[in-house]
Amino acid sequence: MTLLLAGDIGGTKTILRLVEDSPGPSWQTLHESLYSSRDFPDLVPIVQKFLLAAKQQFGTIPRPEKACFAIAGPVVNDTCVLTNLAWVLDARRLETELDIGKIHLINDFAAVGYGILGLEAKDLDTLQQATPQLDAPIGVIGAGTGLGEGFLIHQAGNYQVFATEGGHADFAPRNELEFQLLQYLRDKYDIQRISVERVVSGQGIVALYQFLRDRQVAQESSEIGEIVRTWERETGRTEKSVDPAAVIAQAALEKRDRLCEQTLQMFVEAYGAEAGNLALKLLPYGGLYVAGGIAAKILPLIQEGSFLRAFGQKGRVSPLLERVPVHVVLNAQVGLIGAAICASRME
């Protein structure tokens, strides 16, 4: 039995999964655990604790032959300094200290790209039906803490995954309100250039709320206003005591706060427009997958139609995007699935 270790490593939590390698795209999970990343000085003691805990199930400490860890941060030559954690990871060091033959580090959004290949129908909600073209590119976009973008290209009978920094491309206003938003963000952050990530992300939801609040488009509720002000007072802290983006999104879903509803309407349209921009650059007739931590949580708002309208409003080339299958990824562990797929491919 060939064991694979897959990990999704973030600044807040680390999820580890032990699976048995198999010819198919999915594997039976043999052991899985979640840990608070900040409780450990490095990844090594987490993995050691995980494997020791698995001893109760296996009778002996399991020895995975290969491991792949999806990291929340830039990965260069199998090394990474985590964005929100004081860890410096090097695959060669990890191989030695964990006694695992082959370890590979990949960016967490690259792992999402691999994970697309292991999803089932129940893991997806289809926004736009179209017949996928074999061998065509596949696009992936995902708003969460930031905005990830990537793509898959069919090569030699399989898909090669490529992460990008497309979330840091320029935000492109499409109407007068968004032009006002652009100037608002320039003034707010005292910078000349605004990336699309500053709008289409968790931080973007809060920024949109602040913009619409300051323009007084609707009355602010005392409950949500206090949460946002608490978050504003904590600017600069690594950890915040509140999550206003989640509160704003939930209020919009429940249709109990007009300001929050308008915030999410603007967010969904900007998200759809950026997904359309990515689709124009790739022509992903193999499918465009909307992943990340936000889309599945606000699925009813995505399904209402403004996302897809903004996606397809591309002038004279709009008909090209009607042929792109568009899916929302519902499986929150797509990155962990991707890490396992990547581990299985390692030679």
Side-chain angles (χ1 to χ4, degrees):
M1 180 171 65
T2 300
L3 296 180
L4 305 176
L5 177 60
D8 190 350
I9 318 301
T12 301
K13 62 183 179 181
T14 289
I15 306 175
L16 298 178
R17 175 181 291 179
L18 195 64
V19 301
E20 181 183 358
D21 200 359
S22 69
S26 61
W27 304 270
Q28 178 184 2
T29 298
L30 303 176
H31 187 67
E32 182 175 327
S33 291
L34 183 148
Y35 302 90
S36 173
S37 302
R38 297 185 184 279
D39 290 345
F40 297 85
D42 187 73
L43 179 58
V44 170
I46 297 183
V47 175
Q48 291 172 334
K49 183 174 182 178
F50 171 80
L51 295 176
L52 184 61
K55 179 181 178 181
Q56 296 180 353
Q57 180 178 341
F58 287 84
T60 60
I61 296 177
R63 298 296 181 188
E65 294 186 17
K66 297 182 287 186
C68 178
F69 300 114
I71 311 293
V75 178
V76 179
N77 297 326
D78 261 343
T79 63
C80 179
V81 178
L82 269 72
T83 303
N84 295 310
L85 202 61
W87 290 5
V88 179
L89 301 181
D90 182 296
R92 305 292 80 78
R93 174 179 70 84
L94 295 175
E95 288 171 350
T96 299
E97 296 186 19
L98 294 172
D99 193 24
I100 296 176
K102 298 174 183 177
I103 294 180
H104 188 34
L105 307 183
I106 59 175
N107 173 264
D108 56 350
F109 207 73
V112 171
Y114 282 108
I116 295 300
L117 302 174
L119 296 180
E120 302 176 15
K122 63 181 177 62
D123 298 319
L124 303 171
D125 181 86
T126 299
L127 299 180
Q128 179 164 279
Q129 294 278 0
T131 302
Q133 291 185 12
L134 296 177
D135 299 344
I138 294 173
V140 188
I141 185 170
T145 304
L147 178 64
E149 298 186 5
F151 60 97
L152 292 75
I153 298 294
H154 200 267
Q155 293 180 334
N158 216 330
Y159 279 96
Q160 185 72 26
V161 177
F162 299 90
T164 78
E165 292 298 338
H168 294 286
D170 298 335
F171 170 60
R174 299 170 301 122
N175 51 48
E176 180 58 33
L177 187 62
E178 289 187 352
F179 275 108
Q180 293 177 22
L181 170 66
L182 177 64
Q183 189 57 53
Y184 174 88
L185 294 176
R186 283 174 171 170
D187 294 340
K188 180 177 180 61
Y189 297 114
D190 192 24
I191 54 178
Q192 288 300 308
R193 179 184 173 277
I194 299 298
S195 70
V196 66
E197 182 177 82
R198 288 192 182 271
V199 177
V200 183
S201 63
Q203 64 173 327
I205 290 176
V206 182
L208 288 168
Y209 178 93
Q210 293 170 317
F211 165 65
L212 294 174
R213 175 199 64 189
D214 294 349
R215 292 182 76 250
Q216 299 181 330
V217 300
Q219 185 174 359
E220 181 180 47
S221 73
S222 58
E223 172 199 357
I224 295 175
E226 180 55 35
I227 291 171
V228 172
R229 284 189 291 276
T230 298
W231 183 85
E232 290 171 337
R233 289 193 294 269
E234 294 177 349
T235 298
R237 293 188 188 179
T238 303
E239 295 187 52
K240 302 291 184 69
S241 63
V242 293
D243 183 0
V247 173
I248 293 165
Q250 189 60 38
L253 280 167
E254 296 172 358
K255 299 187 183 301
R256 59 180 173 84
D257 186 288
R258 182 59 181 157
L259 183 55
C260 293
E261 289 181 60
Q262 291 181 304
T263 297
L264 265 293
Q265 178 69 26
M266 198 171 180
F267 172 81
V268 168
E269 291 179 3
Y271 200 168
E274 179 59 17
N277 290 340
L278 179 63
L280 280 181
K281 294 168 184 175
L282 298 175
L283 296 180
Y285 295 134
L288 180 79
Y289 292 81
V290 184
I294 296 177
K297 294 177 182 176
I298 62 167
L299 185 61
L301 302 178
I302 298 277
Q303 293 171 326
E304 284 179 354
S306 59
F307 180 96
L308 206 56
R309 283 194 297 273
F311 172 83
Q313 288 176 345
K314 300 302 179 185
R316 61 183 180 274
V317 295
S318 295
L320 293 176
L321 299 192
E322 295 175 2
R323 297 162 48 199
V324 177
V326 181
H327 312 283
V328 176
V329 176
L330 306 178
N331 191 328
Q333 293 192 324
V334 60
L336 199 58
I337 294 170
I341 290 175
C342 183
S344 72
R345 293 186 178 186
M346 293 165 55
E347 296 180 353

